[in-house]
Amino acid sequence: MAGGSFGPTGVAKERAEQYQGNVTSYVIIACLVAAIGGSIFGYDIGVSGGVTSMDEFLDEFFHAVYEKKKHAHESNYCKYDNQGLAAFTSSLYLAGLVSTLVASPITRNYGRRASIVCGGISFLVGAGLNAGAVNLAMLLAGRIMLGVGIGFGNQAVPLYLSEVAPTHLRGGLNMMFQLATTLGIFTANMVNFGTQKLKPWGWRLSLGLAAFPALLMTLGGYFLPETPNSLVERGLTERGRRVLEKLRGTKNVDAELQDMVDASELANSIKHPFRNILQKRHRPQLVMAICMPMFQILTGINSILFYAPVLFQTMGFGGNASLYSSALTGAVLVLSTLISIGLVDKLGRRALLISGGIQMIICQVIVAVILGVKFGDKQELSKGYSVIVVIFICLFVVAFGWSWGPLGWTIPSEIFPLETRSAGQSITVAVNLLFTFIIAQAFLALLCAFKFGIFLFFAGWVTVMTIFVYFLLPETKGVPIEEMTLLWSKHWFWKKILPATNLEADNNNDTNSSA
Protein backbone atom coordinates (compact mmCIF):
# COMPACT_ATOMS: atom_id res chain seq x y z
CA MET A 1 0.00 0.00 0.00
CA ALA A 2 1.02 3.61 -0.39
CA GLY A 3 3.48 4.76 2.16
CA GLY A 4 4.33 1.22 3.23
CA SER A 5 3.35 1.89 6.84
CA PHE A 6 0.87 -0.95 7.04
CA GLY A 7 0.20 -4.31 5.45
CA PRO A 8 -2.35 -5.13 2.84
CA THR A 9 -5.14 -6.20 5.18
CA GLY A 10 -4.99 -3.79 8.09
CA VAL A 11 -2.33 -2.76 10.58
CA ALA A 12 0.95 -4.63 10.33
CA LYS A 13 2.60 -3.53 13.56
CA GLU A 14 1.62 -5.22 16.80
CA ARG A 15 1.01 -2.61 19.50
CA ALA A 16 -1.25 -4.62 21.81
CA GLU A 17 1.20 -4.47 24.72
CA GLN A 18 1.09 -0.67 24.58
CA TYR A 19 -2.70 -0.46 24.96
CA GLN A 20 -3.72 1.38 28.13
CA GLY A 21 -6.94 1.74 30.11
CA ASN A 22 -9.42 -0.15 32.24
CA VAL A 23 -13.06 -1.11 32.12
CA THR A 24 -14.94 2.11 32.80
CA SER A 25 -18.56 2.72 33.71
CA TYR A 26 -18.83 4.45 30.33
CA VAL A 27 -18.00 1.16 28.56
CA ILE A 28 -20.40 -0.88 30.70
CA ILE A 29 -23.33 1.50 30.16
CA ALA A 30 -22.66 1.73 26.41
CA CYS A 31 -22.53 -2.08 26.10
CA LEU A 32 -25.70 -2.58 28.18
CA VAL A 33 -27.70 -0.07 26.13
CA ALA A 34 -26.41 -1.40 22.80
CA ALA A 35 -27.14 -4.99 23.76
CA ILE A 36 -30.86 -4.20 24.11
CA GLY A 37 -30.99 -4.88 20.36
CA GLY A 38 -30.32 -8.52 21.18
CA SER A 39 -33.28 -8.64 23.57
CA ILE A 40 -35.70 -7.78 20.76
CA PHE A 41 -34.17 -10.45 18.53
CA GLY A 42 -34.58 -12.96 21.35
CA TYR A 43 -38.11 -11.83 22.18
CA ASP A 44 -39.19 -12.32 18.57
CA ILE A 45 -37.66 -15.81 18.49
CA GLY A 46 -39.32 -16.79 21.77
CA VAL A 47 -42.72 -15.23 21.22
CA SER A 48 -43.40 -16.94 17.87
CA GLY A 49 -43.58 -20.49 19.19
CA GLY A 50 -45.80 -19.58 22.13
CA VAL A 51 -48.24 -17.57 20.05
CA THR A 52 -48.50 -20.25 17.37
CA SER A 53 -49.53 -22.79 20.01
CA MET A 54 -52.41 -20.59 21.28
CA ASP A 55 -55.79 -21.81 20.01
CA GLU A 56 -57.27 -18.29 19.67
CA PHE A 57 -54.41 -17.17 17.43
CA LEU A 58 -54.60 -20.32 15.29
CA ASP A 59 -58.39 -20.07 14.99
CA GLU A 60 -58.20 -16.48 13.75
CA PHE A 61 -55.31 -16.71 11.28
CA PHE A 62 -54.62 -20.43 10.64
CA HIS A 63 -57.98 -22.15 10.98
CA ALA A 64 -56.85 -25.27 9.08
CA VAL A 65 -54.08 -25.86 11.63
CA TYR A 66 -56.55 -25.27 14.46
CA GLU A 67 -58.90 -27.93 13.06
CA LYS A 68 -56.04 -30.38 12.46
CA LYS A 69 -54.74 -29.86 16.01
CA LYS A 70 -58.11 -30.89 17.50
CA HIS A 71 -58.15 -34.27 15.75
CA ALA A 72 -56.74 -36.93 18.06
CA HIS A 73 -56.08 -39.37 15.22
CA GLU A 74 -53.67 -36.98 13.51
CA SER A 75 -50.00 -37.97 13.44
CA ASN A 76 -48.24 -36.52 16.45
CA TYR A 77 -45.33 -35.34 14.35
CA CYS A 78 -47.43 -33.79 11.56
CA LYS A 79 -50.34 -31.97 13.21
CA TYR A 80 -48.63 -28.54 12.97
CA ASP A 81 -47.24 -28.99 9.46
CA ASN A 82 -48.56 -25.92 7.61
CA GLN A 83 -46.52 -23.68 5.31
CA GLY A 84 -48.60 -20.61 6.14
CA LEU A 85 -47.91 -21.07 9.83
CA ALA A 86 -44.22 -21.57 9.09
CA ALA A 87 -44.26 -18.40 6.95
CA PHE A 88 -45.52 -16.40 9.96
CA THR A 89 -42.34 -17.36 11.80
CA SER A 90 -39.87 -17.33 8.92
CA SER A 91 -40.96 -14.17 7.04
CA LEU A 92 -39.24 -12.11 9.72
CA TYR A 93 -35.88 -13.67 8.92
CA LEU A 94 -36.18 -13.34 5.15
CA ALA A 95 -36.86 -9.60 5.61
CA GLY A 96 -33.89 -9.40 7.95
CA LEU A 97 -31.64 -11.04 5.36
CA VAL A 98 -32.47 -8.39 2.75
CA SER A 99 -32.33 -5.43 5.14
CA THR A 100 -28.92 -6.33 6.60
CA LEU A 101 -27.39 -5.88 3.14
CA VAL A 102 -28.95 -2.39 3.04
CA ALA A 103 -27.70 -1.72 6.56
CA SER A 104 -24.04 -2.35 5.68
CA PRO A 105 -23.34 0.93 3.79
CA ILE A 106 -25.38 2.87 6.37
CA THR A 107 -23.33 1.37 9.21
CA ARG A 108 -20.09 2.16 7.40
CA ASN A 109 -20.89 5.66 6.12
CA TYR A 110 -23.10 7.02 8.90
CA GLY A 111 -21.94 5.05 11.91
CA ARG A 112 -23.09 2.16 14.07
CA ARG A 113 -25.58 4.33 15.98
CA ALA A 114 -27.50 5.19 12.80
CA SER A 115 -28.23 1.53 12.11
CA ILE A 116 -29.19 0.89 15.75
CA VAL A 117 -31.75 3.75 15.61
CA CYS A 118 -33.12 2.56 12.24
CA GLY A 119 -33.51 -0.93 13.71
CA GLY A 120 -35.34 0.37 16.77
CA ILE A 121 -37.85 2.38 14.70
CA SER A 122 -38.55 -0.63 12.46
CA PHE A 123 -39.17 -2.79 15.54
CA LEU A 124 -41.66 -0.25 16.90
CA VAL A 125 -43.65 -0.22 13.65
CA GLY A 126 -43.62 -4.03 13.42
CA ALA A 127 -44.77 -4.53 17.01
CA GLY A 128 -47.67 -2.13 16.44
CA LEU A 129 -48.80 -3.89 13.25
CA ASN A 130 -48.66 -7.33 14.87
CA ALA A 131 -50.54 -6.30 18.00
CA GLY A 132 -53.34 -4.73 15.95
CA ALA A 133 -53.44 -7.31 13.13
CA VAL A 134 -56.94 -8.01 11.76
CA ASN A 135 -55.88 -10.26 8.85
CA LEU A 136 -52.97 -12.40 7.73
CA ALA A 137 -51.55 -9.69 5.42
CA MET A 138 -51.28 -7.20 8.31
CA LEU A 139 -49.75 -9.88 10.50
CA LEU A 140 -47.07 -10.70 7.91
CA ALA A 141 -46.41 -6.99 7.26
CA GLY A 142 -45.67 -6.58 10.96
CA ARG A 143 -43.32 -9.56 10.90
CA ILE A 144 -41.51 -8.11 7.87
CA MET A 145 -40.97 -4.78 9.68
CA LEU A 146 -39.62 -6.69 12.67
CA GLY A 147 -37.30 -8.44 10.22
CA VAL A 148 -36.03 -5.10 8.94
CA GLY A 149 -35.27 -4.18 12.56
CA ILE A 150 -33.37 -7.43 13.05
CA GLY A 151 -31.37 -6.83 9.88
CA PHE A 152 -30.21 -3.41 11.08
CA GLY A 153 -29.81 -4.31 14.74
CA ASN A 154 -27.91 -7.55 14.25
CA GLN A 155 -25.64 -5.85 11.73
CA ALA A 156 -24.69 -2.93 13.97
CA VAL A 157 -24.88 -4.10 17.60
CA PRO A 158 -22.20 -6.86 17.56
CA LEU A 159 -19.85 -4.48 15.71
CA TYR A 160 -20.56 -1.75 18.24
CA LEU A 161 -19.81 -4.05 21.18
CA SER A 162 -16.58 -5.39 19.63
CA GLU A 163 -15.27 -1.91 18.89
CA VAL A 164 -16.16 -0.34 22.24
CA ALA A 165 -14.88 -3.18 24.45
CA PRO A 166 -11.25 -3.27 25.66
CA THR A 167 -9.23 -6.08 24.08
CA HIS A 168 -8.85 -8.26 27.18
CA LEU A 169 -12.63 -8.29 27.82
CA ARG A 170 -13.94 -8.10 24.26
CA GLY A 171 -15.31 -11.66 24.29
CA GLY A 172 -17.29 -11.20 27.52
CA LEU A 173 -18.67 -7.75 26.66
CA ASN A 174 -19.53 -8.78 23.10
CA MET A 175 -21.58 -11.60 24.60
CA MET A 176 -23.89 -8.99 26.12
CA PHE A 177 -25.69 -9.22 22.77
CA GLN A 178 -26.26 -12.96 23.21
CA LEU A 179 -27.15 -12.51 26.90
CA ALA A 180 -29.76 -9.94 25.93
CA THR A 181 -31.01 -12.33 23.23
CA THR A 182 -31.43 -15.14 25.76
CA LEU A 183 -33.14 -12.80 28.23
CA GLY A 184 -35.49 -11.79 25.42
CA ILE A 185 -36.30 -15.45 24.72
CA PHE A 186 -36.92 -16.16 28.40
CA THR A 187 -39.06 -13.03 28.78
CA ALA A 188 -41.15 -14.03 25.73
CA ASN A 189 -41.67 -17.51 27.19
CA MET A 190 -42.85 -16.08 30.52
CA VAL A 191 -45.09 -13.53 28.77
CA ASN A 192 -46.65 -16.32 26.68
CA PHE A 193 -47.18 -18.37 29.82
CA GLY A 194 -49.20 -15.49 31.28
CA THR A 195 -51.04 -14.25 28.18
CA GLN A 196 -52.31 -17.68 27.09
CA LYS A 197 -54.76 -17.35 30.01
CA LEU A 198 -56.06 -14.02 28.66
CA LYS A 199 -58.56 -15.31 26.12
CA PRO A 200 -59.15 -14.33 23.33
CA TRP A 201 -56.67 -11.42 23.04
CA GLY A 202 -53.63 -12.67 24.97
CA TRP A 203 -51.65 -13.27 21.78
CA ARG A 204 -51.99 -9.57 20.88
CA LEU A 205 -50.33 -8.58 24.14
CA SER A 206 -47.52 -11.09 23.54
CA LEU A 207 -46.76 -9.65 20.10
CA GLY A 208 -47.28 -6.00 21.10
CA LEU A 209 -44.91 -6.06 24.07
CA ALA A 210 -41.98 -6.16 21.62
CA ALA A 211 -42.52 -2.38 21.42
CA PHE A 212 -41.03 -1.85 24.90
CA PRO A 213 -37.45 -3.00 24.16
CA ALA A 214 -37.78 -1.41 20.70
CA LEU A 215 -38.38 1.96 22.35
CA LEU A 216 -35.37 1.45 24.63
CA MET A 217 -33.21 0.52 21.64
CA THR A 218 -34.29 3.61 19.68
CA LEU A 219 -33.66 6.03 22.55
CA GLY A 220 -30.47 4.25 23.56
CA GLY A 221 -29.12 4.41 20.02
CA TYR A 222 -29.76 8.15 19.95
CA PHE A 223 -27.85 8.83 23.19
CA LEU A 224 -25.01 6.29 22.78
CA PRO A 225 -21.54 7.51 21.85
CA GLU A 226 -20.36 6.49 18.39
CA THR A 227 -17.50 3.97 18.37
CA PRO A 228 -14.03 5.54 17.99
CA ASN A 229 -13.27 3.11 15.13
CA SER A 230 -16.24 4.43 13.15
CA LEU A 231 -15.40 8.08 13.89
CA VAL A 232 -11.78 7.62 12.77
CA GLU A 233 -12.92 5.77 9.65
CA ARG A 234 -15.13 8.75 8.77
CA GLY A 235 -12.26 11.26 9.27
CA LEU A 236 -13.30 12.48 12.74
CA THR A 237 -10.03 11.47 14.39
CA GLU A 238 -9.98 14.03 17.23
CA ARG A 239 -13.56 13.24 18.16
CA GLY A 240 -12.63 9.56 18.04
CA ARG A 241 -9.73 10.22 20.42
CA ARG A 242 -12.02 11.96 22.92
CA VAL A 243 -14.50 9.06 22.86
CA LEU A 244 -11.66 6.53 23.21
CA GLU A 245 -10.23 8.44 26.20
CA LYS A 246 -13.64 8.30 27.89
CA LEU A 247 -14.07 4.61 27.13
CA ARG A 248 -10.60 3.66 28.43
CA GLY A 249 -10.49 6.14 31.33
CA THR A 250 -7.04 7.45 30.35
CA LYS A 251 -5.41 10.04 28.09
CA ASN A 252 -2.77 7.51 27.03
CA VAL A 253 -4.57 5.97 24.05
CA ASP A 254 -1.97 6.72 21.37
CA ALA A 255 -1.17 3.09 20.50
CA GLU A 256 -4.80 1.99 20.16
CA LEU A 257 -5.71 5.15 18.24
CA GLN A 258 -2.79 4.65 15.86
CA ASP A 259 -4.03 1.14 15.07
CA MET A 260 -7.42 2.67 14.23
CA VAL A 261 -5.85 5.36 12.05
CA ASP A 262 -3.74 2.80 10.16
CA ALA A 263 -6.78 0.59 9.65
CA SER A 264 -8.98 3.51 8.56
CA GLU A 265 -6.46 4.69 5.93
CA LEU A 266 -6.75 1.32 4.25
CA ALA A 267 -10.52 1.17 4.86
CA ASN A 268 -11.07 4.50 3.12
CA SER A 269 -9.07 3.33 0.10
CA ILE A 270 -11.58 0.51 -0.39
CA LYS A 271 -14.59 1.78 -2.32
CA HIS A 272 -16.34 -1.58 -2.78
CA PRO A 273 -16.01 -3.60 0.45
CA PHE A 274 -18.27 -6.43 -0.78
CA ARG A 275 -16.07 -6.88 -3.84
CA ASN A 276 -12.91 -6.55 -1.78
CA ILE A 277 -14.02 -9.17 0.73
CA LEU A 278 -13.99 -11.80 -2.04
CA GLN A 279 -10.25 -11.37 -2.58
CA LYS A 280 -7.99 -14.22 -1.55
CA ARG A 281 -6.37 -12.26 1.28
CA HIS A 282 -9.75 -12.13 3.05
CA ARG A 283 -10.54 -15.82 2.42
CA PRO A 284 -10.19 -17.02 6.06
CA GLN A 285 -12.50 -14.29 7.40
CA LEU A 286 -15.02 -14.88 4.60
CA VAL A 287 -15.14 -18.61 5.34
CA MET A 288 -15.74 -17.88 9.03
CA ALA A 289 -18.39 -15.25 8.22
CA ILE A 290 -20.29 -17.90 6.26
CA CYS A 291 -19.63 -21.03 8.31
CA MET A 292 -19.99 -19.71 11.88
CA PRO A 293 -23.58 -18.36 11.51
CA MET A 294 -24.57 -21.30 9.28
CA PHE A 295 -23.34 -23.82 11.86
CA GLN A 296 -24.95 -21.85 14.69
CA ILE A 297 -28.38 -22.41 13.12
CA LEU A 298 -27.63 -26.01 12.11
CA THR A 299 -27.16 -26.94 15.78
CA GLY A 300 -30.97 -27.10 15.75
CA ILE A 301 -31.31 -24.57 18.57
CA ASN A 302 -33.69 -22.25 16.74
CA SER A 303 -36.03 -25.14 16.02
CA ILE A 304 -36.26 -25.83 19.73
CA LEU A 305 -36.63 -22.16 20.65
CA PHE A 306 -39.08 -21.24 17.84
CA TYR A 307 -41.27 -24.23 18.30
CA ALA A 308 -40.60 -25.29 21.91
CA PRO A 309 -44.28 -25.11 22.92
CA VAL A 310 -45.34 -26.86 19.68
CA LEU A 311 -42.55 -29.42 20.11
CA PHE A 312 -43.53 -30.20 23.69
CA GLN A 313 -47.21 -30.39 22.79
CA THR A 314 -46.27 -32.81 20.00
CA MET A 315 -44.57 -34.97 22.63
CA GLY A 316 -47.80 -35.10 24.59
CA PHE A 317 -47.37 -32.30 27.12
CA GLY A 318 -50.54 -30.31 27.83
CA GLY A 319 -50.83 -26.69 26.68
CA ASN A 320 -49.75 -25.17 30.00
CA ALA A 321 -47.05 -27.79 30.54
CA SER A 322 -45.57 -27.13 27.10
CA LEU A 323 -45.31 -23.40 27.69
CA TYR A 324 -43.82 -24.04 31.11
CA SER A 325 -41.24 -26.42 29.64
CA SER A 326 -40.22 -23.90 26.98
CA ALA A 327 -39.91 -21.20 29.67
CA LEU A 328 -37.57 -23.57 31.51
CA THR A 329 -35.35 -23.97 28.43
CA GLY A 330 -35.29 -20.17 28.06
CA ALA A 331 -34.14 -19.74 31.67
CA VAL A 332 -31.44 -22.38 31.18
CA LEU A 333 -30.18 -20.52 28.09
CA VAL A 334 -29.79 -17.30 30.08
CA LEU A 335 -27.81 -19.02 32.86
CA SER A 336 -25.50 -20.84 30.44
CA THR A 337 -24.77 -17.57 28.60
CA LEU A 338 -23.66 -16.06 31.91
CA ILE A 339 -21.26 -19.01 32.29
CA SER A 340 -19.84 -18.24 28.85
CA ILE A 341 -19.34 -14.56 29.65
CA GLY A 342 -17.25 -15.56 32.67
CA LEU A 343 -15.14 -18.13 30.82
CA VAL A 344 -14.65 -16.90 27.25
CA ASP A 345 -11.71 -14.59 27.98
CA LYS A 346 -10.11 -17.15 30.31
CA LEU A 347 -10.51 -20.49 28.50
CA GLY A 348 -10.76 -19.05 24.99
CA ARG A 349 -13.21 -19.49 22.14
CA ARG A 350 -12.05 -22.89 20.87
CA ALA A 351 -12.38 -24.73 24.20
CA LEU A 352 -15.98 -23.56 24.65
CA LEU A 353 -17.00 -24.41 21.07
CA ILE A 354 -15.51 -27.91 21.13
CA SER A 355 -16.81 -28.89 24.60
CA GLY A 356 -20.25 -27.46 23.80
CA GLY A 357 -20.37 -29.37 20.51
CA ILE A 358 -19.58 -32.70 22.17
CA GLN A 359 -22.30 -32.19 24.81
CA MET A 360 -24.89 -31.18 22.19
CA ILE A 361 -24.20 -34.33 20.13
CA ILE A 362 -24.67 -36.60 23.16
CA CYS A 363 -27.92 -34.89 24.22
CA GLN A 364 -29.47 -34.97 20.73
CA VAL A 365 -28.68 -38.66 20.25
CA ILE A 366 -30.21 -39.55 23.63
CA VAL A 367 -33.41 -37.56 22.89
CA ALA A 368 -33.68 -39.22 19.46
CA VAL A 369 -33.32 -42.71 20.98
CA ILE A 370 -36.00 -42.06 23.63
CA LEU A 371 -38.46 -40.65 21.08
CA GLY A 372 -37.69 -43.42 18.61
CA VAL A 373 -38.31 -46.21 21.11
CA LYS A 374 -41.05 -44.76 23.33
CA PHE A 375 -42.98 -42.26 21.19
CA GLY A 376 -45.06 -43.11 18.11
CA ASP A 377 -47.70 -41.46 15.94
CA LYS A 378 -50.63 -42.24 18.21
CA GLN A 379 -49.10 -42.46 21.66
CA GLU A 380 -47.82 -40.04 24.25
CA LEU A 381 -44.63 -40.16 26.28
CA SER A 382 -45.00 -41.39 29.84
CA LYS A 383 -44.40 -38.79 32.54
CA GLY A 384 -41.02 -40.30 33.41
CA TYR A 385 -39.70 -40.26 29.85
CA SER A 386 -41.13 -36.77 29.27
CA VAL A 387 -39.07 -35.49 32.19
CA ILE A 388 -35.94 -37.18 30.80
CA VAL A 389 -36.52 -35.58 27.38
CA VAL A 390 -36.89 -32.11 28.93
CA ILE A 391 -33.71 -32.65 31.01
CA PHE A 392 -31.63 -33.57 27.98
CA ILE A 393 -33.10 -30.76 25.89
CA CYS A 394 -32.10 -28.40 28.72
CA LEU A 395 -28.57 -29.90 28.77
CA PHE A 396 -28.42 -29.34 25.02
CA VAL A 397 -29.49 -25.72 25.52
CA VAL A 398 -26.85 -25.29 28.26
CA ALA A 399 -24.13 -26.48 25.89
CA PHE A 400 -25.36 -24.18 23.12
CA GLY A 401 -25.57 -21.26 25.56
CA TRP A 402 -21.90 -21.39 26.49
CA SER A 403 -20.62 -22.18 23.00
CA TRP A 404 -22.25 -21.63 19.62
CA GLY A 405 -24.93 -19.25 20.93
CA PRO A 406 -22.70 -16.32 21.86
CA LEU A 407 -19.58 -17.27 19.90
CA GLY A 408 -21.48 -17.64 16.62
CA TRP A 409 -21.87 -13.84 16.81
CA THR A 410 -18.70 -12.88 18.71
CA ILE A 411 -16.10 -14.48 16.45
CA PRO A 412 -17.31 -13.06 13.08
CA SER A 413 -17.68 -9.57 14.61
CA GLU A 414 -14.06 -9.48 15.82
CA ILE A 415 -12.05 -11.01 12.95
CA PHE A 416 -12.52 -8.58 10.04
CA PRO A 417 -10.22 -5.65 9.25
CA LEU A 418 -11.90 -2.25 9.38
CA GLU A 419 -12.18 -1.88 5.58
CA THR A 420 -14.44 -4.94 5.28
CA ARG A 421 -15.89 -5.07 8.80
CA SER A 422 -19.39 -3.78 8.06
CA ALA A 423 -19.58 -5.88 4.87
CA GLY A 424 -18.34 -8.93 6.77
CA GLN A 425 -20.91 -8.43 9.50
CA SER A 426 -23.63 -8.09 6.86
CA ILE A 427 -22.59 -11.42 5.35
CA THR A 428 -22.63 -13.00 8.84
CA VAL A 429 -26.12 -11.69 9.59
CA ALA A 430 -27.41 -12.52 6.09
CA VAL A 431 -26.16 -16.13 6.31
CA ASN A 432 -27.57 -16.46 9.83
CA LEU A 433 -30.97 -15.18 8.75
CA LEU A 434 -30.96 -17.22 5.51
CA PHE A 435 -30.44 -20.47 7.41
CA THR A 436 -32.83 -19.33 10.15
CA PHE A 437 -35.43 -18.75 7.42
CA ILE A 438 -34.76 -22.14 5.80
CA ILE A 439 -34.94 -24.06 9.10
CA ALA A 440 -37.97 -22.09 10.33
CA GLN A 441 -39.83 -22.70 7.07
CA ALA A 442 -38.81 -26.34 6.81
CA PHE A 443 -38.77 -27.50 10.45
CA LEU A 444 -42.43 -28.50 10.79
CA ALA A 445 -42.23 -30.42 7.51
CA LEU A 446 -38.89 -31.99 8.57
CA LEU A 447 -40.42 -32.98 11.92
CA CYS A 448 -43.27 -34.64 10.05
CA ALA A 449 -40.89 -36.44 7.64
CA PHE A 450 -37.97 -37.33 9.93
CA LYS A 451 -39.95 -37.76 13.18
CA PHE A 452 -37.43 -38.49 15.96
CA GLY A 453 -34.67 -38.50 13.31
CA ILE A 454 -34.77 -34.69 13.29
CA PHE A 455 -32.50 -34.76 16.36
CA LEU A 456 -30.04 -37.11 14.62
CA PHE A 457 -30.06 -34.78 11.59
CA PHE A 458 -28.91 -31.87 13.74
CA ALA A 459 -26.47 -34.06 15.73
CA GLY A 460 -24.73 -34.88 12.43
CA TRP A 461 -24.27 -31.18 11.70
CA VAL A 462 -22.92 -30.51 15.20
CA THR A 463 -20.32 -33.24 14.58
CA VAL A 464 -19.23 -31.50 11.36
CA MET A 465 -18.95 -28.07 13.01
CA THR A 466 -16.97 -29.40 15.98
CA ILE A 467 -14.40 -30.91 13.60
CA PHE A 468 -14.35 -27.61 11.65
CA VAL A 469 -13.51 -25.63 14.80
CA TYR A 470 -10.81 -28.10 15.90
CA PHE A 471 -8.89 -27.88 12.62
CA LEU A 472 -9.67 -24.47 11.10
CA LEU A 473 -10.48 -21.86 13.78
CA PRO A 474 -7.47 -20.16 15.42
CA GLU A 475 -7.81 -18.83 18.98
CA THR A 476 -8.79 -15.13 18.98
CA LYS A 477 -8.69 -14.61 22.75
CA GLY A 478 -6.67 -11.51 23.68
CA VAL A 479 -5.90 -10.44 20.09
CA PRO A 480 -6.63 -6.71 19.48
CA ILE A 481 -9.41 -6.22 16.96
CA GLU A 482 -7.28 -4.09 14.60
CA GLU A 483 -4.45 -6.70 14.69
CA MET A 484 -6.67 -9.72 14.07
CA THR A 485 -5.54 -10.07 10.44
CA LEU A 486 -2.03 -11.04 11.61
CA LEU A 487 -3.48 -14.18 13.20
CA TRP A 488 -4.36 -16.03 10.00
CA SER A 489 -0.85 -16.02 8.52
CA LYS A 490 0.36 -18.00 11.56
CA HIS A 491 -2.30 -20.73 11.30
CA TRP A 492 -1.17 -24.08 9.86
CA PHE A 493 -3.90 -24.18 7.19
CA TRP A 494 -4.76 -20.59 6.38
CA LYS A 495 -1.13 -19.57 5.77
CA LYS A 496 -1.23 -21.93 2.78
CA ILE A 497 -4.26 -20.10 1.38
CA LEU A 498 -3.17 -16.48 1.89
CA PRO A 499 -1.24 -14.73 -0.91
CA ALA A 500 2.50 -14.28 -0.42
CA THR A 501 2.24 -10.49 0.17
CA ASN A 502 0.36 -11.07 3.45
CA LEU A 503 2.96 -13.51 4.70
CA GLU A 504 5.86 -11.22 3.76
CA ALA A 505 4.29 -8.30 5.63
CA ASP A 506 3.75 -10.43 8.72
CA ASN A 507 7.29 -11.87 8.58
CA ASN A 508 8.70 -8.33 8.35
CA ASN A 509 6.55 -7.37 11.34
CA ASP A 510 7.90 -10.32 13.36
CA THR A 511 11.47 -9.30 12.45
CA ASN A 512 10.88 -5.68 13.45
CA SER A 513 9.25 -6.73 16.71
CA SER A 514 12.19 -8.98 17.68
CA ALA A 515 14.64 -6.22 16.76
Side-chain angles (χ1 to χ4, degrees), residues 326-469:
S326 59
L328 176 63
T329 58
V332 167
L333 188 56
V334 172
L335 294 175
S336 60
T337 305
L338 289 172
I339 294 171
S340 186
I341 288 173
L343 295 178
V344 67
D345 289 311
K346 295 177 182 177
L347 299 181
R349 282 64 160 156
R350 282 169 50 85
L352 295 181
L353 287 170
I354 292 169
S355 62
I358 293 170
Q359 183 168 321
M360 283 192 284
I361 294 166
I362 293 170
C363 291
Q364 286 174 316
V365 170
I366 290 173
V367 170
V369 169
I370 291 174
L371 295 182
V373 173
K374 296 293 181 180
F375 183 61
D377 272 354
K378 297 178 181 178
Q379 65 185 110
E380 294 186 356
L381 281 177
S382 68
K383 185 175 181 180
Y385 281 110
S386 296
V387 170
I388 294 173
V389 166
V390 171
I391 288 172
F392 277 100
I393 284 179
C394 285
L395 288 173
F396 166 82
V397 171
V398 166
F400 176 84
W402 84 52
S403 59
W404 282 94
L407 292 172
W409 291 109
T410 297
I411 290 171
S413 73
E414 67 184 2
I415 61 175
F416 279 95
L418 186 61
E419 73 267 21
T420 56
R421 191 169 298 153
S422 62
Q425 185 65 13
S426 278
I427 291 171
T428 298
V429 176
V431 171
N432 181 284
L433 294 174
L434 173 63
F435 278 87
T436 302
F437 169 77
I438 291 169
I439 295 297
Q441 190 68 25
F443 176 71
L444 294 176
L446 287 174
L447 180 64
C448 181
F450 287 178
K451 300 180 170 57
F452 64 88
I454 190 74
F455 290 96
L456 297 177
F457 171 77
F458 288 123
W461 279 109
V462 178
T463 303
V464 171
M465 64 188 74
T466 304
I467 295 170
F468 174 89
V469 168

Side-chain angles (χ1 to χ4, degrees), residues 3-211:
S5 62
F6 47 89
T9 57
V11 298
K13 189 171 182 180
E14 297 184 63
R15 305 185 180 93
E17 294 179 359
Q18 303 172 39
Y19 282 22
Q20 299 289 319
N22 301 303
V23 180
T24 61
S25 57
Y26 199 62
V27 166
I28 299 298
I29 291 170
C31 288
L32 284 172
V33 173
I36 289 171
S39 70
I40 311 178
F41 183 42
Y43 188 86
D44 287 323
I45 289 174
V47 81
S48 301
V51 165
T52 53
S53 69
M54 294 182 188
D55 288 344
E56 294 76 25
F57 176 82
L58 291 175
D59 190 29
E60 182 154 352
F61 295 105
F62 304 99
H63 189 72
V65 180
Y66 176 68
E67 289 297 325
K68 190 190 292 187
K69 180 182 173 184
K70 291 193 301 183
H71 295 157
H73 67 272
E74 193 70 45
S75 166
N76 277 323
Y77 288 104
C78 299
K79 59 188 175 184
Y80 288 97
D81 182 18
N82 179 276
Q83 288 300 299
L85 182 60
F88 165 74
T89 298
S90 59
S91 58
L92 178 147
Y93 304 99
L94 189 60
L97 189 162
V98 175
S99 63
T100 192
L101 301 176
V102 176
S104 176
I106 293 175
T107 302
R108 187 183 189 201
N109 297 324
Y110 299 98
R112 286 46 168 157
R113 289 173 60 224
S115 285
I116 291 174
V117 171
C118 287
I121 293 171
S122 299
F123 276 127
L124 277 170
V125 174
L129 286 171
N130 274 348
V134 294
N135 54 47
L136 185 58
M138 190 172 174
L139 191 71
L140 292 178
R143 294 291 287 178
I144 289 169
M145 287 306 298
L146 290 173
V148 172
I150 283 176
F152 276 86
N154 287 17
Q155 208 277 341
V157 171
L159 282 189
Y160 186 96
L161 295 172
S162 283
E163 292 180 344
V164 164
T167 297
H168 65 291
L169 291 175
R170 187 180 61 244
L173 289 176
N174 191 286
M175 284 182 182
M176 298 291 256
F177 178 77
Q178 177 66 14
L179 178 62
T181 300
T182 60
L183 285 169
I185 292 168
F186 176 67
T187 301
N189 288 331
M190 296 310 295
V191 166
N192 285 336
F193 186 66
T195 58
Q196 51 100 20
K197 301 172 186 174
L198 302 174
K199 303 178 186 297
W201 52 271
W203 62 268
R204 293 188 184 276
L205 184 59
S206 287
L207 295 175
L209 283 175

Side-chain angles (χ1 to χ4, degrees), residues 192-262:
N192 285 336
F193 186 66
T195 58
Q196 51 100 20
K197 301 172 186 174
L198 302 174
K199 303 178 186 297
W201 52 271
W203 62 268
R204 293 188 184 276
L205 184 59
S206 287
L207 295 175
L209 283 175
F212 178 68
L215 182 61
L216 292 180
M217 178 178 171
T218 306
L219 294 176
Y222 182 78
F223 289 108
L224 280 175
E226 186 55 85
T227 71
N229 310 63
S230 177
L231 291 169
V232 171
E233 184 182 16
R234 290 181 284 143
L236 305 171
T237 305
E238 281 307 309
R239 189 173 158 196
R241 172 185 280 278
R242 291 195 297 272
V243 172
L244 188 59
E245 288 173 353
K246 280 187 178 182
L247 290 170
R248 302 294 178 256
T250 178
K251 296 284 186 182
N252 189 11
V253 295
D254 291 343
E256 189 170 0
L257 185 68
Q258 189 58 49
D259 271 354
M260 293 179 190
V261 171
D262 286 355

Side-chain angles (χ1 to χ4, degrees), residues 288-352:
M288 294 301 160
I290 293 171
C291 290
M292 293 299 290
M294 176 184 75
F295 286 150
Q296 185 192 54
I297 302 307
L298 290 173
T299 59
I301 188 67
N302 278 18
S303 302
I304 290 174
L305 297 178
F306 286 154
Y307 297 112
V310 170
L311 195 61
F312 286 127
Q313 278 192 9
T314 295
M315 293 174 189
F317 290 69
N320 289 350
S322 69
L323 285 169
Y324 186 77
S325 298
S326 59
L328 176 63
T329 58
V332 167
L333 188 56
V334 172
L335 294 175
S336 60
T337 305
L338 289 172
I339 294 171
S340 186
I341 288 173
L343 295 178
V344 67
D345 289 311
K346 295 177 182 177
L347 299 181
R349 282 64 160 156
R350 282 169 50 85
L352 295 181

